[in-house]
Amino acid sequence: AAGEDEDGFIHLLLQAHELGALRLKTWAIRMAVHHFKELALRGALEVLPSTLLTEVLREVAVGYDRLLPSAAKGMRWELSLLPKAEKCLENTYEALTSPDLSCGAGACGTAGCSEASLVASFETPVRVHRIRVGVDLTKGDFDAAAANDAKLQYLTPNGWQDGNVSVVIRDRLVRDIELPEVLIAKAFRLVRRQRIALGLLLFE
């Protein structure tokens, strides 16, 4: 059976590791990587000592590097403000990721499009599990009213999908919002009716 064959790779890997048989160990690791999904789902890798498991996981990361999205934290993205930018703010990536909440970026709707959105486009798909948003509550027109109720969406081949997260900022300047599940996409946006403005927007 397929499961028995896969378990055989693990048994050989353990033996090769204990005996110092490097050529056999290299082959067994390669087979473990090839069958990694099935082995992991069945818990077959749990018998490996931590150092050997680390070797296998390292090879998985190397072998599937192009298919494994990186975490979004620290990665630069391109900002778009749709359908048009809010004139009173700086409206740059640097302003949105700076600790200075008084800069920021904003967008407003038009007669033909009532939804305003801040769009973050990455070069490659990334993983996002949290967003950090902030506004300067001390600055006139730039307050939480233009951020609250904004919805997070992510881009899929079928268009924008709802991330089941809404922005709510009341008694604090900055808020971390944990997502219900990790999202993987190349672009994300915060969208609300008529107008949206933020002093800080980070993806993690």
Side-chain angles (χ1 to χ4, degrees):
E4 293 176 354
D5 290 340
E6 292 155 6
D7 288 337
F9 302 142
I10 297 300
H11 181 66
L12 280 174
L13 178 55
L14 283 168
Q15 282 190 320
H17 179 66
E18 292 170 359
L19 296 173
L22 294 180
R23 185 174 296 179
L24 179 59
K25 179 180 175 180
T26 298
W27 177 83
I29 287 179
R30 188 163 65 246
M31 296 309 294
V33 170
H34 182 69
H35 295 281
F36 178 78
K37 180 177 179 179
E38 294 79 13
L39 292 169
L41 289 174
R42 292 194 295 106
L45 299 172
E46 294 175 3
V47 300
L48 298 180
S50 59
T51 54
L52 187 53
L53 178 59
T54 298
E55 286 188 64
V56 173
L57 294 178
R58 185 183 296 117
E59 290 302 314
V60 170
V62 171
Y64 292 95
D65 178 60
R66 294 181 180 179
L67 302 177
L68 294 173
S70 299
K73 187 174 183 178
M75 296 189 67
R76 188 180 178 88
W77 40 271
E78 181 180 340
L79 172 66
S80 301
L81 304 166
L82 303 172
K84 69 175 184 177
E86 182 78 63
K87 293 181 180 180
C88 64
L89 299 172
E90 289 195 19
N91 298 325
T92 63
Y93 164 83
E94 289 75 15
L96 260 186
T97 55
S98 163
D100 184 357
L101 300 178
S102 66
C103 303
C108 52
T110 62
C113 180
S114 62
E115 288 189 337
S117 60
L118 304 181
V119 183
S121 301
F122 293 83
E123 287 190 3
T124 60
V126 296
R127 291 180 287 109
V128 174
H129 75 97
R130 178 195 298 130
I131 61 171
R132 175 172 292 183
V133 295
V135 296
D136 187 349
L137 298 177
T138 67
K139 184 176 179 181
D141 295 335
F142 186 31
D143 57 28
N148 283 338
D149 300 323
K151 296 186 181 299
L152 175 69
Q153 297 181 340
Y154 61 102
L155 189 60
T156 73
N158 297 319
W160 292 103
Q161 299 293 319
D162 193 2
N164 297 315
V165 166
S166 294
V167 172
V168 178
I169 303 174
R170 291 198 172 90
D171 57 353
R172 64 183 74 178
L173 298 178
V174 175
R175 184 180 178 202
D176 289 336
I177 302 176
E178 296 284 343
L179 308 189
E181 60 179 328
V182 174
L183 298 179
I184 298 176
K186 193 175 179 180
F188 299 83
R189 72 176 183 177
L190 283 172
V191 57
R192 72 186 297 275
R193 290 185 61 80
Q194 303 302 334
R195 180 173 180 259
I196 183 170
L198 287 172
L200 179 71
L201 176 58
L202 299 175
F203 296 89
E204 300 179 351

